C-alpha cells in the first residue's frame, strides 16, 4: 500500500520552477531515498510532503491525507527531521524530548531513543551547548519520539562522524523493522546504497530516474571498470570492438575500460588470444556515485 503519493508536483519561487512535475509513491515499510544535486528540488519536494509548503499544483497524500488541508492529522502520523532546525538555546535535551513527547497521544519512550543516539549523558545539557553532531542526533530523536507511522529525514547524518553515522544507519534500519516508513533525503551515496529500497534521483526539478540502488547502478554508462597494465601493446581497434564497452582511458601505460560483465569476459579472451599478461588487473563494480554522476551529468558538469 502506498503511504506517500506525489503526483505531478510543481512549485515555483519568484518565477523559477524549483519542482517541475515530480511524481513517486512510497510503499508501507519502505526506506525511499531522494537524491539530487544542490538546488535540484529535493527539500522543496519533501517540505510539500510534510505540509510545510503549499504546492502550486499537483497532488500530495500522506496515509491518504492532504498534508496542507489535513495538517493536524498528518502531524500525528508523520515525524520530520528538517535540514535546518533550531531550538530555544536554554532548553535542555531532556526538556526538548519531554516537550515533543507531550505533543502526541501515544509517544515512544524517549529514554531508549536518547540512549541509542548517544544523548543519555547529555540530558541536562542546554541546546546551545551541544555540538553540531549532538544537535543532529537530538533532531533525529525528536522526529521519532511521536512513534510516527512515517518519518521524513532530510540530510540525516550531516555533521556526524563515521561511527555515529553508522550507528544512526542501524537505528533507521531498526525503525523500519518496527513498521515505520522512511522518506530519506541525502547526498551521501553510501548512505543511500546501504539504506534505501528504492531511490528517486531528482535533477532540475524533475525525477531523472527511479529504481532500486542496484537498478540505478546497472544504468551507469560503465557498470564495471577494468584496469590493467598490458605486458605488450594492444591495438585500439581490438579494444573498441569489445562488447558493452562504454569508454577507454590510457594513462602511463595503464588501460582503464568501463563496460559490463561481457566486457570483462571479452578482455580476458582478448588477452589470452594475443598472449598478453595483464599486470595489476583490477575489476571493480560501479557504485551509486557513478550512477548519480551519469544521471545528473548536465547539471554537475
Amino acid at each position: 500500500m502506498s503511504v506517500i503519493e506525489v503526483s505531478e508536483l510543481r512549485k515555483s519561487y519568484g518565477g523559477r520552477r524549483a519542482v517541475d512535475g515530480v511524481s513517486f509513491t512510497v510503499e508501507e515499510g519502505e526506506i525511499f531515498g531522494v537524491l539530487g544535486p544542490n538546488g535540484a528540488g529535493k527539500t522543496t519536494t519533501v517540505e510539500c510532503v510534510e505540509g510545510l509548503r503549499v504546492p502550486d499544483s499537483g497532488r500530495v497524500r500522506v496515509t491518504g491525507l492532504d498534508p496542507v488541508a489535513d495538517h493536524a492529522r498528518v502531524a500525528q502520523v508523520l515525524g520530520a527531521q528538517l535540514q535546518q532546525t533550531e531550538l530555544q538555546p536554554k532548553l535542555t535535551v531532556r526538556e526538548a524530548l519531554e516537550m515533543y513527547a507531550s505533543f502526541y497521544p501515544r509517544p515512544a519512550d524517549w529514554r531508549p531513543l536518547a540512549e541509542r543516539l548517544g544523548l543519555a549523558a547529555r540530558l541536562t545539557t542546554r541546546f546551545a551547548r551541544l555540538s553540531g553532531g549532538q544537535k543532529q542526533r537530538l533532531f533525529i530523536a525528536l522526529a521519532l519520539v511521536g512513534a510516527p507511522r512515517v518519518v521524513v529525514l532530510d540530510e540525516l547524518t550531516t555533521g556526524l562522524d563515521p561511527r555515529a553515522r553508522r550507528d544512526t544507519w542501524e537505528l533507521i534500519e531498526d525503525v523500519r523493522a518496527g513498521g515505520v516508513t522512511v522518506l530519506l533525503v541525502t547526498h551521501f551515496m553510501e548512505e543511500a546504497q546501504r539504506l534505501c529500497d528504492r531511490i528517486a534521483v531528482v535533477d532540475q526539478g524533475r525525477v531523472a530516474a527511479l529504481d532500486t540502488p542496484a537498478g540505478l547502478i546497472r544504468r551507469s554508462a560503465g557498470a564495471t571498470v577494468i584496469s590493467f597494465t598490458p605486458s605488450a601493446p594492444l591495438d585500439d581497434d581490438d579494444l573498441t570492438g569489445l562488447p558493452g564497452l562504454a569508454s577507454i582511458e590510457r594513462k602511463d601505460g595503464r588501460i582503464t575500460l568501463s563496460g559490463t560483465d561481457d566486457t570483462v569476459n571479452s578482455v580476458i579472451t582478448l588477452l589470452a588470444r594475443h598472449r598478453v599478461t595483464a599486470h595489476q588487473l583490477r575489476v571493480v563494480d560501479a557504485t551509486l556515485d557513478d550512477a548519480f554522476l551519469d544521471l545528473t551529468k548536465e547539471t554537475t558538469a
Side-chain angles (χ1 to χ4, degrees):
M1 185 181 74
S2 296
V3 175
I4 298 174
E5 301 174 44
V6 177
S7 178
E8 292 298 318
L9 178 66
R10 288 178 170 82
K11 180 68 179 177
S12 297
Y13 301 105
R16 184 184 69 84
R17 185 65 61 85
V19 179
D20 189 12
V22 165
S23 298
F24 60 84
T25 60
V26 181
E27 305 306 311
E28 187 165 16
E30 186 175 32
I31 299 180
F32 187 93
V34 180
L35 298 180
N38 291 335
K42 307 184 301 297
T43 294
T44 296
T45 297
V46 298
E47 286 177 346
C48 290
V49 171
E50 294 160 336
L52 299 177
R53 295 193 185 275
V54 180
D56 296 336
S57 63
R59 171 186 167 91
V60 180
R61 293 293 183 269
V62 177
T63 64
L65 302 171
D66 184 324
V68 176
D70 304 310
H71 187 72
R73 293 172 65 190
V74 169
Q76 292 300 311
V77 298
L78 184 146
Q81 171 256 323
L82 306 179
Q83 191 178 71
Q84 293 182 328
T85 310
E86 289 294 325
L87 295 175
Q88 205 280 336
K90 293 185 178 180
L91 202 66
T92 67
V93 170
R94 179 191 294 274
E95 289 168 342
L97 289 166
E98 289 179 340
M99 179 177 69
Y100 271 65
S102 72
F103 297 156
Y104 301 93
R106 289 178 294 277
D109 185 347
W110 58 261
R111 293 165 186 81
L113 270 178
E115 183 72 34
R116 184 69 186 270
L117 286 162
L119 296 170
R122 295 285 182 270
L123 293 179
T124 60
T125 303
R126 299 187 189 278
F127 179 76
R129 298 183 65 84
L130 296 175
S131 68
Q134 289 165 349
K135 289 179 180 179
Q136 186 73 347
R137 294 198 296 273
L138 175 58
F139 294 139
I140 295 168
L142 296 179
L144 297 172
V145 76
R149 183 176 169 188
V150 184
V151 65
V152 179
L153 303 169
D154 195 347
E155 303 297 354
L156 169 69
T157 56
T158 297
L160 301 186
D161 61 56
R163 170 56 60 190
R165 181 173 297 132
R166 280 160 178 74
D167 288 345
T168 303
W169 292 349
E170 291 179 5
L171 172 65
I172 299 308
E173 288 170 332
D174 288 348
V175 166
R176 189 265 289 277
V180 179
T181 301
V182 179
L183 179 59
L184 174 67
V185 182
T186 182
H187 66 270
F188 289 116
M189 299 299 133
E190 183 185 1
E191 181 168 282
Q193 193 164 350
R194 158 80 179 266
L195 293 178
C196 297
D197 299 298
R198 292 187 301 141
I199 296 170
V201 178
V202 178
D203 189 26
Q204 298 180 326
R206 296 176 177 271
V207 175
L210 198 165
D211 208 334
T212 63
L216 292 174
I217 291 169
R218 284 195 297 269
R219 297 187 190 195
S220 178
T224 303
V225 178
I226 312 107
S227 61
F228 59 93
T229 302
S231 60
L234 290 172
D235 291 337
D236 276 347
D237 289 344
D238 288 331
L239 294 173
T240 55
L242 293 170
L245 183 70
S247 66
I248 302 174
E249 179 183 343
R250 291 180 183 266
K251 186 176 181 180
D252 299 329
R254 191 163 180 81
I255 298 174
T256 301
L257 309 173
S258 295
T260 65
D261 288 343
D262 288 340
T263 313
V264 177
N265 295 331
S266 297
V267 166
I268 293 171
T269 301
L270 175 67
L271 292 170
R273 186 168 69 246
H274 290 282
R275 297 184 179 181
V276 173
T277 301
H279 296 294
Q280 296 180 316
L281 174 65
R282 294 183 182 178
V283 180
V284 180
D285 288 335
T287 65
L288 197 55
D289 283 278
D290 300 311
F292 177 82
L293 291 172
D294 282 343
L295 290 165
T296 61
K297 194 172 296 182
E298 291 184 6
T299 301
T300 56

